[in-house]
Amino acid sequence: MSKSIIEISPLFELRAVIAVSATPDEVYSVVSDLTRSAEWSPECRGGEWISGEPRTVGAIFRGENDRSEDVVAWAPLIRGVWYTESKVVAAEPGRTFRWMMLTHARDDQESVWGFDIEPTAEGSLLTHHFRMGKATAGIHHIVAELDEEQRKQFVTDWTAKLVQDLDDTLKRIKDVIEKR
C-alpha cells in the first residue's frame, strides 16, 4: 500500500516576500505583536498572551480565528470562530519572529509560522513563511473521512489558500507599517 499524501513531510513549505519602507526594527515591532494580527491576518482576529513574557521565546499566545464558509468550501473545516494556541520559538528583534502551533494539550506540532526581516537600502525585505513537517492533529481530523483523491485535492486547495494568505498578510502588514 502506498503512503498517503498526508504522511509526506514537509506537507507544506511556503514563503512570500515583500519590500517595506521601514527599518527592520520597525517591521519587527509590528509582526512580533500577535495581538495586532487582526490588522493583517486573513483569519486571526487577535488574541492574548496567556503565558510567559509576550513576544519572547517560550511565550504562549491564544489566538481567536474566524473562518468563512467559502474557504475550501467543500472540505470539513472548522467554520466561524475558533481558537488556537501557539508558542514563540524564535524572537530576534529586527531579524526573525516565529511561532509553533500547539495541540489542545499544548504539545508541540511541526507547524511553524514566521517572519524574517533583512535590511535594504530602502528599508526592509520581509519574508513570511509557513512550514508544516508532519501533518498536525487538525489536518488529521480534517482528512479522517476523506479518501486519498479527496486528501490530494485538499492539500492542493489548502496550499493555494495558504499561498494567498501569505501574500495578503504581507500586503496588509506593508500598509499598516507604511501608514503608521
Side-chain angles (χ1 to χ4, degrees):
M1 186 171 195
S2 64
K3 197 186 255 195
S4 172
I5 191 167
I6 299 305
E7 297 173 43
I8 292 172
S9 182
L11 184 56
F12 302 104
E13 192 159 26
L14 308 164
R15 65 184 46 242
V17 180
I18 198 167
V20 181
S21 296
T23 68
D25 286 335
E26 290 170 324
V27 172
Y28 182 87
S29 72
V30 172
V31 301
S32 65
D33 187 355
L34 295 179
T35 62
R36 293 181 63 183
S37 59
E39 296 177 49
W40 61 76
S41 174
E43 289 188 352
C44 190
R45 299 292 164 243
E48 62 183 331
W49 296 99
I50 59 171
S51 176
E53 181 67 30
R55 304 159 92 168
T56 64
V57 172
I60 296 177
F61 182 76
R62 184 173 192 256
E64 179 180 310
N65 306 280
D66 189 8
R67 183 175 298 137
S68 69
E69 294 293 326
D70 62 342
V71 174
V72 190
W74 66 270
L77 299 170
I78 294 173
R79 310 290 177 177
V81 176
W82 52 287
Y83 297 88
T84 56
E85 289 187 359
S86 58
K87 177 173 64 177
V88 176
V89 294
E92 298 174 44
R95 296 193 57 220
T96 190
F97 186 76
R98 299 177 188 197
W99 61 99
M100 173 189 296
M101 303 309 296
L102 302 174
T103 67
H104 290 293
R106 289 205 180 146
D107 294 325
D108 293 352
Q109 298 187 95
E110 291 184 28
S111 179
V112 179
W113 292 88
F115 294 103
D116 292 328
I117 309 158
E118 298 174 47
T120 66
E122 297 79 28
S124 301
L125 196 62
L126 177 60
T127 301
H128 189 21
H129 47 84
F130 172 67
R131 182 179 194 281
M132 182 181 292
K134 293 178 182 173
T136 61
I139 294 291
H140 282 286
H141 179 76
I142 292 165
V143 303
E145 300 298 319
L146 303 180
D147 64 30
E148 192 58 25
E149 286 307 309
Q150 291 170 316
R151 288 176 178 199
K152 288 177 183 174
Q153 189 61 53
F154 174 75
V155 170
T156 297
D157 292 355
W158 197 250
T159 298
K161 179 243 192 277
L162 291 171
V163 166
Q164 188 66 55
D165 284 357
L166 292 173
D167 287 342
D168 290 349
T169 296
L170 286 179
K171 289 173 190 164
R172 292 172 183 169
I173 289 171
K174 179 180 175 76
D175 286 348
V176 165
I177 293 171
E178 291 181 354
K179 292 178 181 178
R180 57 187 181 275

